[in-house]
Amino acid sequence: MDLAIKLIVLLPLLAAAIAGLFCRVIGDRPAQIVTCAALLIAAALSIFVFVKIGFGPENAKLVVVKLFTWIDSGTLDIVWSLRVDTLTAVMLIVVTGVSSMVHVYSIGYMAEDPSIPRFMSYLSLFTFFMLMLVTSDNLVQLFFGWEGVGLASYLLIGFWYDKPSANAAAIKAFIVNRIGDFGFALGIFAIWMLSGSVNFAEIFAKAPEMAAMRINFLGMDLPALETACLLLFVGAMGKSAQLGLHTWLPDAMEGPTPVSALIHAATMVTAGVFMVCRLSPLFELAPIASMVVTLIGAATAFFAATIGLTQFDIKRVVAYSTCSQLGYMFFAAGVGSYSAAMFHLTTHAFFKALLFLGSGSVIMALHHEQDMRKMGGVKEKVPQTFYLMWVGTLALSGIGVPFLLGHGIGFAGFYSKDIMIESAYGVHTTVGLIAFWLGTIAAGLTAFYSTRLMFMTFYGKYRGDHHTWDHAHESPAVVLIPLYVLGAGAALSGFIAYDWFVGHDWQHFWGTSIATKLTGEVLHHAHEVPLWVTLAPLVFALSGIALSYMYYIAMPWLPDATVRTFSGLYALFYNKWYFDEIYDAIIVRPALRIGRFFWKKGDGATIDGLGADNIAARAQDMAGVLMRFQSGYLYHYAFVMLVGVAALVTYFMFVR
């Protein structure tokens, strides 16, 4: 077991080093084979670890592999260890499973790119950092992986560095995440100050004591644990693109499509959800922080869904869907249904990666066209991609038949989305009801914009360039095989894993890796909600699909008519609620003005003008005067010597 855990983490790092450092020696194809093989082996080992941990006896549900002492300074003792419990085992399946499929897919998608070894190296490096994050045994090690995925994300988003838009998107992602990470770092400092440790086991043992402590923060006397949890959640908001720190996620679509599937659907953006669930013993004792998590998550789920209604870039529609679905996960964690949040994180990884990679297959077929207004009827050219994307769309929309075989039959999202919404209602709080209604409405919006993507892309007549249409064709097998694997997960993972995550086996499966007491209470109430609560998300989703069909198939003139009638609301949604413009007005432009002032007046006029530039100018003037004495004529030098001697004689005469 220990060896398997070490190999899972280190194989991607080894592959990244070989592909990145020795690609010119071994060539492009060996670099691709090495990285893909490493991730496929890691995925197979992750399945082995998942079975051993998830279904083993209670005393075998936690394995800690100690590697070496990292920091030993005073009372701060940090051992670099790999912590694997059920929560980690689930994330290992998600990270290595999706990453291995993305690696294989990239062989076909990036086939014409001359820098494919560098790309494969970046993918493997990102996977290593994500695995370090989920296997961390302390907050500092978690922060190492946290910052590592930020670095790798920057490299991948800006992979096509000759595109100004890609560079701008990478910088934007990096800066916005630094804002969140500053709060995260403050939260880690606060936890260490309160508990005297950064190790999870010691922190969780002292959680009840910390709940009773007070802390002075920014001159205010505040509950210590609440403040620390809120600061930690700021980090989660940045990494998982929650409302306020979400603006980087859609722009990150400037990277290659495999990047979108790996980073912004299944791994990096779920790091915030994982962190909240990992620290659930703290959050369950911080009700105010949990309320904030719930409200921010619910607002994000609704907010991002409204934007998805109006976007035309096929990848941006899926990106805003990711933002919305992350909101669901957070409000589930906020109400205490941590296993339900992880359930949706797992199923979402399959169907969202499927939708991103399926969109990439369409983009490949249409010679890198991403505007859905220039698509239509594409199912004729890419029939396999078409059917697979319907699987992902129905899974995202949460379509299924309730009550069959106990908890119903449906696609993956049907199980995981419904239990989160039922959990929000089941807690019977005002915050929970807000999350329930926003989540239910967002379910209808999600179904509408998801099927809108399908109808605009695959149905009707082709609206783009006919030269592109004539050369369009289905993707090669190396692209389609990962789609079929992810499609199987999108169709079956919810049904297979329901009992493990939220059914009758959930407590044995999870052990003590999450706050099981609170989760048990919430799940108990979730399973006893009224019938209308159970049916509401499905009814809204089916209504969204029917409305989308009416708009884009039956009555295609309706979208333009609706835009004309509700032009103001449409402009609000289409322009992403003007968040970028607001931030530009109140943050970016003032910061630029301040920077320009200090540059011109402070650095240029004051420091350089009175300092370096002034001294250099005076030295240059003096040099100009002295240069006149360097004429090259002997009699000039003799005259200077005579003047010097006369001056010395005169000096000594007066000194006497």
Side-chain angles (χ1 to χ4, degrees), residues 445-480:
L445 299 177
T446 300
F448 180 90
Y449 67 67
S450 300
T451 48
R452 169 181 177 264
L453 181 152
M454 295 298 296
F455 294 145
M456 291 186 69
T457 303
F458 294 104
Y459 291 82
K461 295 181 179 180
Y462 183 66
R463 299 178 293 274
D465 177 63
H466 285 282
H467 179 74
T468 301
W469 175 258
D470 293 338
H471 291 83
H473 57 83
E474 183 63 272
S475 299
V478 72
V479 169
L480 291 176

mmCIF file of all heavy atoms in Angstrom, residues 445-480:
data_model
loop_
_atom_site.group_PDB
_atom_site.id
_atom_site.type_symbol
_atom_site.label_atom_id
_atom_site.label_comp_id
_atom_site.label_asym_id
_atom_site.label_seq_id
_atom_site.Cartn_x
_atom_site.Cartn_y
_atom_site.Cartn_z
ATOM 1 N N LEU A 445 -32.145 26.553 -15.206
ATOM 2 C CA LEU A 445 -31.283 27.345 -16.091
ATOM 3 C C LEU A 445 -30.171 26.481 -16.691
ATOM 4 O O LEU A 445 -29.825 26.625 -17.871
ATOM 5 C CB LEU A 445 -30.676 28.515 -15.316
ATOM 6 C CG LEU A 445 -31.657 29.521 -14.712
ATOM 7 C CD1 LEU A 445 -30.904 30.578 -13.911
ATOM 8 C CD2 LEU A 445 -32.508 30.173 -15.784
ATOM 9 N N THR A 446 -29.617 25.580 -15.869
ATOM 10 C CA THR A 446 -28.556 24.694 -16.348
ATOM 11 C C THR A 446 -29.054 23.819 -17.488
ATOM 12 O O THR A 446 -28.374 23.666 -18.516
ATOM 13 C CB THR A 446 -28.039 23.815 -15.198
ATOM 14 O OG1 THR A 446 -27.513 24.639 -14.164
ATOM 15 C CG2 THR A 446 -26.962 22.859 -15.693
ATOM 16 N N ALA A 447 -30.221 23.236 -17.316
ATOM 17 C CA ALA A 447 -30.788 22.392 -18.375
ATOM 18 C C ALA A 447 -31.039 23.203 -19.639
ATOM 19 O O ALA A 447 -30.827 22.718 -20.756
ATOM 20 C CB ALA A 447 -32.079 21.743 -17.884
ATOM 21 N N PHE A 448 -31.471 24.462 -19.478
ATOM 22 C CA PHE A 448 -31.749 25.303 -20.646
ATOM 23 C C PHE A 448 -30.474 25.591 -21.425
ATOM 24 O O PHE A 448 -30.399 25.360 -22.638
ATOM 25 C CB PHE A 448 -32.412 26.611 -20.203
ATOM 26 C CG PHE A 448 -32.729 27.533 -21.340
ATOM 27 C CD1 PHE A 448 -33.949 27.462 -21.986
ATOM 28 C CD2 PHE A 448 -31.804 28.475 -21.786
ATOM 29 C CE1 PHE A 448 -34.248 28.306 -23.053
ATOM 30 C CE2 PHE A 448 -32.080 29.317 -22.842
ATOM 31 C CZ PHE A 448 -33.306 29.233 -23.477
ATOM 32 N N TYR A 449 -29.427 26.129 -20.748
ATOM 33 C CA TYR A 449 -28.240 26.521 -21.516
ATOM 34 C C TYR A 449 -27.445 25.303 -21.991
ATOM 35 O O TYR A 449 -26.728 25.379 -22.996
ATOM 36 C CB TYR A 449 -27.363 27.517 -20.756
ATOM 37 C CG TYR A 449 -26.660 27.020 -19.516
ATOM 38 C CD1 TYR A 449 -25.659 26.067 -19.565
ATOM 39 C CD2 TYR A 449 -26.966 27.568 -18.267
ATOM 40 C CE1 TYR A 449 -25.003 25.644 -18.422
ATOM 41 C CE2 TYR A 449 -26.314 27.158 -17.126
ATOM 42 C CZ TYR A 449 -25.329 26.189 -17.208
ATOM 43 O OH TYR A 449 -24.677 25.779 -16.080
ATOM 44 N N SER A 450 -27.544 24.174 -21.289
ATOM 45 C CA SER A 450 -26.836 22.971 -21.734
ATOM 46 C C SER A 450 -27.440 22.429 -23.024
ATOM 47 O O SER A 450 -26.710 22.083 -23.968
ATOM 48 C CB SER A 450 -26.883 21.898 -20.647
ATOM 49 O OG SER A 450 -26.275 22.351 -19.462
ATOM 50 N N THR A 451 -28.770 22.333 -23.064
ATOM 51 C CA THR A 451 -29.411 21.845 -24.290
ATOM 52 C C THR A 451 -29.376 22.913 -25.389
ATOM 53 O O THR A 451 -29.372 22.573 -26.575
ATOM 54 C CB THR A 451 -30.858 21.413 -24.006
ATOM 55 O OG1 THR A 451 -31.529 22.441 -23.261
ATOM 56 C CG2 THR A 451 -30.882 20.132 -23.193
ATOM 57 N N ARG A 452 -29.341 24.182 -25.007
ATOM 58 C CA ARG A 452 -29.135 25.247 -25.991
ATOM 59 C C ARG A 452 -27.824 25.035 -26.731
ATOM 60 O O ARG A 452 -27.750 25.182 -27.968
ATOM 61 C CB ARG A 452 -29.125 26.605 -25.276
ATOM 62 C CG ARG A 452 -28.656 27.803 -26.115
ATOM 63 C CD ARG A 452 -28.674 29.061 -25.253
ATOM 64 N NE ARG A 452 -28.177 30.245 -25.951
ATOM 65 C CZ ARG A 452 -26.921 30.701 -25.873
ATOM 66 N NH1 ARG A 452 -26.039 30.046 -25.116
ATOM 67 N NH2 ARG A 452 -26.557 31.774 -26.526
ATOM 68 N N LEU A 453 -26.775 24.675 -26.001
ATOM 69 C CA LEU A 453 -25.495 24.369 -26.637
ATOM 70 C C LEU A 453 -25.645 23.232 -27.639
ATOM 71 O O LEU A 453 -25.122 23.293 -28.756
ATOM 72 C CB LEU A 453 -24.466 24.009 -25.562
ATOM 73 C CG LEU A 453 -23.032 23.676 -25.990
ATOM 74 C CD1 LEU A 453 -22.057 24.036 -24.860
ATOM 75 C CD2 LEU A 453 -22.847 22.212 -26.358
ATOM 76 N N MET A 454 -26.379 22.185 -27.246
ATOM 77 C CA MET A 454 -26.568 21.038 -28.139
ATOM 78 C C MET A 454 -27.365 21.432 -29.379
ATOM 79 O O MET A 454 -26.996 21.071 -30.508
ATOM 80 C CB MET A 454 -27.272 19.921 -27.388
ATOM 81 C CG MET A 454 -26.479 19.329 -26.237
ATOM 82 S SD MET A 454 -24.929 18.539 -26.753
ATOM 83 C CE MET A 454 -25.547 17.208 -27.771
ATOM 84 N N PHE A 455 -28.439 22.162 -29.191
ATOM 85 C CA PHE A 455 -29.293 22.519 -30.325
ATOM 86 C C PHE A 455 -28.572 23.462 -31.293
ATOM 87 O O PHE A 455 -28.660 23.298 -32.510
ATOM 88 C CB PHE A 455 -30.584 23.164 -29.822
ATOM 89 C CG PHE A 455 -31.467 22.222 -29.046
ATOM 90 C CD1 PHE A 455 -32.220 22.676 -27.964
ATOM 91 C CD2 PHE A 455 -31.543 20.887 -29.382
ATOM 92 C CE1 PHE A 455 -33.030 21.813 -27.243
ATOM 93 C CE2 PHE A 455 -32.351 20.005 -28.660
ATOM 94 C CZ PHE A 455 -33.095 20.482 -27.582
ATOM 95 N N MET A 456 -27.854 24.469 -30.750
ATOM 96 C CA MET A 456 -27.157 25.409 -31.621
ATOM 97 C C MET A 456 -25.985 24.759 -32.355
ATOM 98 O O MET A 456 -25.656 25.133 -33.482
ATOM 99 C CB MET A 456 -26.645 26.613 -30.817
ATOM 100 C CG MET A 456 -27.722 27.526 -30.299
ATOM 101 S SD MET A 456 -27.051 29.020 -29.511
ATOM 102 C CE MET A 456 -26.378 29.890 -30.931
ATOM 103 N N THR A 457 -25.369 23.771 -31.729
ATOM 104 C CA THR A 457 -24.178 23.150 -32.315
ATOM 105 C C THR A 457 -24.514 22.027 -33.281
ATOM 106 O O THR A 457 -23.958 21.955 -34.381
ATOM 107 C CB THR A 457 -23.265 22.609 -31.194
ATOM 108 O OG1 THR A 457 -22.916 23.673 -30.306
ATOM 109 C CG2 THR A 457 -21.997 21.995 -31.771
ATOM 110 N N PHE A 458 -25.425 21.159 -32.894
ATOM 111 C CA PHE A 458 -25.609 19.907 -33.630
ATOM 112 C C PHE A 458 -26.874 19.840 -34.483
ATOM 113 O O PHE A 458 -27.002 18.943 -35.315
ATOM 114 C CB PHE A 458 -25.618 18.736 -32.641
ATOM 115 C CG PHE A 458 -24.312 18.527 -31.943
ATOM 116 C CD1 PHE A 458 -24.141 18.928 -30.628
ATOM 117 C CD2 PHE A 458 -23.242 17.943 -32.595
ATOM 118 C CE1 PHE A 458 -22.935 18.732 -29.970
ATOM 119 C CE2 PHE A 458 -22.032 17.740 -31.949
ATOM 120 C CZ PHE A 458 -21.876 18.140 -30.637
ATOM 121 N N TYR A 459 -27.812 20.756 -34.281
ATOM 122 C CA TYR A 459 -29.098 20.679 -34.987
ATOM 123 C C TYR A 459 -29.228 21.831 -35.980
ATOM 124 O O TYR A 459 -28.492 22.819 -35.915
ATOM 125 C CB TYR A 459 -30.254 20.700 -33.994
ATOM 126 C CG TYR A 459 -30.349 19.442 -33.158
ATOM 127 C CD1 TYR A 459 -29.557 19.266 -32.029
ATOM 128 C CD2 TYR A 459 -31.234 18.419 -33.498
ATOM 129 C CE1 TYR A 459 -29.632 18.116 -31.256
ATOM 130 C CE2 TYR A 459 -31.332 17.264 -32.736
ATOM 131 C CZ TYR A 459 -30.526 17.116 -31.623
ATOM 132 O OH TYR A 459 -30.606 15.969 -30.867
ATOM 133 N N GLY A 460 -30.201 21.705 -36.879
ATOM 134 C CA GLY A 460 -30.471 22.759 -37.850
ATOM 135 C C GLY A 460 -29.474 22.754 -38.990
ATOM 136 O O GLY A 460 -28.804 21.749 -39.270
ATOM 137 N N LYS A 461 -29.364 23.881 -39.661
ATOM 138 C CA LYS A 461 -28.460 24.023 -40.791
ATOM 139 C C LYS A 461 -27.140 24.651 -40.350
ATOM 140 O O LYS A 461 -27.106 25.479 -39.439
ATOM 141 C CB LYS A 461 -29.103 24.896 -41.879
ATOM 142 C CG LYS A 461 -30.341 24.276 -42.517
ATOM 143 C CD LYS A 461 -30.895 25.189 -43.604
ATOM 144 C CE LYS A 461 -32.113 24.558 -44.264
ATOM 145 N NZ LYS A 461 -32.671 25.428 -45.341
ATOM 146 N N TYR A 462 -26.083 24.254 -41.059
ATOM 147 C CA TYR A 462 -24.761 24.790 -40.758
ATOM 148 C C TYR A 462 -24.703 26.272 -41.122
ATOM 149 O O TYR A 462 -25.105 26.674 -42.216
ATOM 150 C CB TYR A 462 -23.690 24.023 -41.522
ATOM 151 C CG TYR A 462 -22.284 24.466 -41.216
ATOM 152 C CD1 TYR A 462 -21.730 24.269 -39.954
ATOM 153 C CD2 TYR A 462 -21.511 25.092 -42.184
ATOM 154 C CE1 TYR A 462 -20.444 24.678 -39.666
ATOM 155 C CE2 TYR A 462 -20.214 25.504 -41.904
ATOM 156 C CZ TYR A 462 -19.688 25.300 -40.648
ATOM 157 O OH TYR A 462 -18.405 25.716 -40.360
ATOM 158 N N ARG A 463 -24.178 27.104 -40.197
ATOM 159 C CA ARG A 463 -24.190 28.547 -40.387
ATOM 160 C C ARG A 463 -22.792 29.133 -40.583
ATOM 161 O O ARG A 463 -22.632 30.350 -40.610
ATOM 162 C CB ARG A 463 -24.851 29.220 -39.166
ATOM 163 C CG ARG A 463 -26.293 28.798 -38.936
ATOM 164 C CD ARG A 463 -26.877 29.451 -37.690
ATOM 165 N NE ARG A 463 -26.238 28.984 -36.476
ATOM 166 C CZ ARG A 463 -26.599 27.893 -35.800
ATOM 167 N NH1 ARG A 463 -27.606 27.140 -36.250
ATOM 168 N NH2 ARG A 463 -25.972 27.537 -34.694
ATOM 169 N N GLY A 464 -21.786 28.272 -40.700
ATOM 170 C CA GLY A 464 -20.425 28.761 -40.824
ATOM 171 C C GLY A 464 -19.906 28.717 -42.240
ATOM 172 O O GLY A 464 -20.673 28.657 -43.213
ATOM 173 N N ASP A 465 -18.584 28.723 -42.356
ATOM 174 C CA ASP A 465 -17.915 28.704 -43.659
ATOM 175 C C ASP A 465 -18.038 27.313 -44.283
ATOM 176 O O ASP A 465 -17.725 26.304 -43.647
ATOM 177 C CB ASP A 465 -16.441 29.070 -43.468
ATOM 178 C CG ASP A 465 -15.669 29.004 -44.764
ATOM 179 O OD1 ASP A 465 -15.994 29.782 -45.680
ATOM 180 O OD2 ASP A 465 -14.756 28.155 -44.854
ATOM 181 N N HIS A 466 -18.473 27.249 -45.543
ATOM 182 C CA HIS A 466 -18.722 25.960 -46.188
ATOM 183 C C HIS A 466 -17.429 25.235 -46.541
ATOM 184 O O HIS A 466 -17.428 24.002 -46.676
ATOM 185 C CB HIS A 466 -19.592 26.156 -47.430
ATOM 186 C CG HIS A 466 -21.024 26.427 -47.090
ATOM 187 N ND1 HIS A 466 -21.890 25.430 -46.709
ATOM 188 C CD2 HIS A 466 -21.734 27.586 -47.026
ATOM 189 C CE1 HIS A 466 -23.077 25.946 -46.454
ATOM 190 N NE2 HIS A 466 -23.012 27.261 -46.627
ATOM 191 N N HIS A 467 -16.332 25.962 -46.679
ATOM 192 C CA HIS A 467 -15.044 25.292 -46.874
ATOM 193 C C HIS A 467 -14.692 24.475 -45.626
ATOM 194 O O HIS A 467 -14.190 23.348 -45.726
ATOM 195 C CB HIS A 467 -13.959 26.330 -47.168
ATOM 196 C CG HIS A 467 -12.604 25.729 -47.359
ATOM 197 N ND1 HIS A 467 -12.246 25.029 -48.493
ATOM 198 C CD2 HIS A 467 -11.504 25.717 -46.542
ATOM 199 C CE1 HIS A 467 -11.000 24.605 -48.371
ATOM 200 N NE2 HIS A 467 -10.526 25.025 -47.200
ATOM 201 N N THR A 468 -14.951 25.064 -44.449
ATOM 202 C CA THR A 468 -14.728 24.345 -43.194
ATOM 203 C C THR A 468 -15.636 23.134 -43.105
ATOM 204 O O THR A 468 -15.228 22.047 -42.679
ATOM 205 C CB THR A 468 -14.981 25.287 -41.996
ATOM 206 O OG1 THR A 468 -14.095 26.401 -42.079
ATOM 207 C CG2 THR A 468 -14.772 24.567 -40.678
ATOM 208 N N TRP A 469 -16.898 23.305 -43.509
ATOM 209 C CA TRP A 469 -17.869 22.206 -43.468
ATOM 210 C C TRP A 469 -17.429 21.041 -44.350
ATOM 211 O O TRP A 469 -17.550 19.868 -43.961
ATOM 212 C CB TRP A 469 -19.237 22.717 -43.901
ATOM 213 C CG TRP A 469 -20.288 21.649 -44.011
ATOM 214 C CD1 TRP A 469 -20.750 21.060 -45.142
ATOM 215 C CD2 TRP A 469 -21.006 21.045 -42.929
ATOM 216 N NE1 TRP A 469 -21.712 20.117 -44.850
ATOM 217 C CE2 TRP A 469 -21.892 20.091 -43.494
ATOM 218 C CE3 TRP A 469 -20.981 21.206 -41.550
ATOM 219 C CZ2 TRP A 469 -22.746 19.316 -42.726
ATOM 220 C CZ3 TRP A 469 -21.840 20.432 -40.779
ATOM 221 C CH2 TRP A 469 -22.706 19.499 -41.363
ATOM 222 N N ASP A 470 -16.924 21.331 -45.501
ATOM 223 C CA ASP A 470 -16.527 20.273 -46.436
ATOM 224 C C ASP A 470 -15.381 19.428 -45.892
ATOM 225 O O ASP A 470 -15.259 18.244 -46.242
ATOM 226 C CB ASP A 470 -16.113 20.890 -47.781
ATOM 227 C CG ASP A 470 -17.286 21.532 -48.511
ATOM 228 O OD1 ASP A 470 -18.440 21.148 -48.215
ATOM 229 O OD2 ASP A 470 -17.050 22.432 -49.346
ATOM 230 N N HIS A 471 -14.537 20.026 -45.054
ATOM 231 C CA HIS A 471 -13.379 19.301 -44.522
ATOM 232 C C HIS A 471 -13.613 18.775 -43.096
ATOM 233 O O HIS A 471 -12.705 18.188 -42.507
ATOM 234 C CB HIS A 471 -12.146 20.208 -44.542
ATOM 235 C CG HIS A 471 -11.643 20.512 -45.913
ATOM 236 N ND1 HIS A 471 -12.187 21.510 -46.697
ATOM 237 C CD2 HIS A 471 -10.650 19.946 -46.663
ATOM 238 C CE1 HIS A 471 -11.561 21.558 -47.864
ATOM 239 N NE2 HIS A 471 -10.624 20.622 -47.867
ATOM 240 N N ALA A 472 -14.813 18.999 -42.552
ATOM 241 C CA ALA A 472 -15.098 18.532 -41.191
ATOM 242 C C ALA A 472 -15.231 17.010 -41.159
ATOM 243 O O ALA A 472 -15.760 16.403 -42.094
ATOM 244 C CB ALA A 472 -16.370 19.184 -40.671
ATOM 245 N N HIS A 473 -14.738 16.397 -40.073
ATOM 246 C CA HIS A 473 -14.837 14.938 -39.943
ATOM 247 C C HIS A 473 -14.738 14.566 -38.466
ATOM 248 O O HIS A 473 -14.310 15.373 -37.628
ATOM 249 C CB HIS A 473 -13.728 14.251 -40.743
ATOM 250 C CG HIS A 473 -12.343 14.679 -40.349
ATOM 251 N ND1 HIS A 473 -11.669 14.142 -39.282
ATOM 252 C CD2 HIS A 473 -11.513 15.624 -40.884
ATOM 253 C CE1 HIS A 473 -10.482 14.716 -39.162
ATOM 254 N NE2 HIS A 473 -10.367 15.628 -40.119
ATOM 255 N N GLU A 474 -15.112 13.336 -38.167
ATOM 256 C CA GLU A 474 -15.070 12.840 -36.795
ATOM 257 C C GLU A 474 -13.630 12.761 -36.304
ATOM 258 O O GLU A 474 -12.684 12.586 -37.087
ATOM 259 C CB GLU A 474 -15.731 11.454 -36.723
ATOM 260 C CG GLU A 474 -15.816 10.864 -35.329
ATOM 261 C CD GLU A 474 -16.685 11.693 -34.381
ATOM 262 O OE1 GLU A 474 -16.113 12.626 -33.753
ATOM 263 O OE2 GLU A 474 -17.882 11.429 -34.263
ATOM 264 N N SER A 475 -13.443 12.910 -34.994
ATOM 265 C CA SER A 475 -12.108 12.880 -34.392
ATOM 266 C C SER A 475 -11.526 11.472 -34.431
ATOM 267 O O SER A 475 -12.257 10.475 -34.507
ATOM 268 C CB SER A 475 -12.185 13.362 -32.943
ATOM 269 O OG SER A 475 -12.654 14.694 -32.883
ATOM 270 N N PRO A 476 -10.187 11.363 -34.364
ATOM 271 C CA PRO A 476 -9.555 10.036 -34.373
ATOM 272 C C PRO A 476 -9.814 9.269 -33.086
ATOM 273 O O PRO A 476 -10.299 9.814 -32.087
ATOM 274 C CB PRO A 476 -8.071 10.368 -34.540
ATOM 275 C CG PRO A 476 -7.923 11.754 -34.010
ATOM 276 C CD PRO A 476 -9.203 12.455 -34.356
ATOM 277 N N ALA A 477 -9.461 7.993 -33.099
ATOM 278 C CA ALA A 477 -9.738 7.103 -31.962
ATOM 279 C C ALA A 477 -9.060 7.575 -30.687
ATOM 280 O O ALA A 477 -9.611 7.436 -29.586
ATOM 281 C CB ALA A 477 -9.286 5.685 -32.303
ATOM 282 N N VAL A 478 -7.844 8.157 -30.800
ATOM 283 C CA VAL A 478 -7.119 8.596 -29.614
ATOM 284 C C VAL A 478 -7.871 9.712 -28.892
ATOM 285 O O VAL A 478 -7.676 9.927 -27.686
ATOM 286 C CB VAL A 478 -5.691 9.045 -29.997
ATOM 287 C CG1 VAL A 478 -5.720 10.370 -30.746
ATOM 288 C CG2 VAL A 478 -4.800 9.129 -28.781
ATOM 289 N N VAL A 479 -8.742 10.422 -29.605
ATOM 290 C CA VAL A 479 -9.584 11.453 -29.005
ATOM 291 C C VAL A 479 -10.893 10.848 -28.495
ATOM 292 O O VAL A 479 -11.385 11.212 -27.424
ATOM 293 C CB VAL A 479 -9.865 12.572 -30.029
ATOM 294 C CG1 VAL A 479 -10.958 13.515 -29.531
ATOM 295 C CG2 VAL A 479 -8.590 13.358 -30.312
ATOM 296 N N LEU A 480 -11.455 9.910 -29.244
ATOM 297 C CA LEU A 480 -12.769 9.368 -28.898
ATOM 298 C C LEU A 480 -12.723 8.389 -27.722
ATOM 299 O O LEU A 480 -13.674 8.322 -26.935
ATOM 300 C CB LEU A 480 -13.385 8.671 -30.113
ATOM 301 C CG LEU A 480 -13.810 9.588 -31.263
ATOM 302 C CD1 LEU A 480 -14.299 8.772 -32.437
ATOM 303 C CD2 LEU A 480 -14.894 10.556 -30.802
#
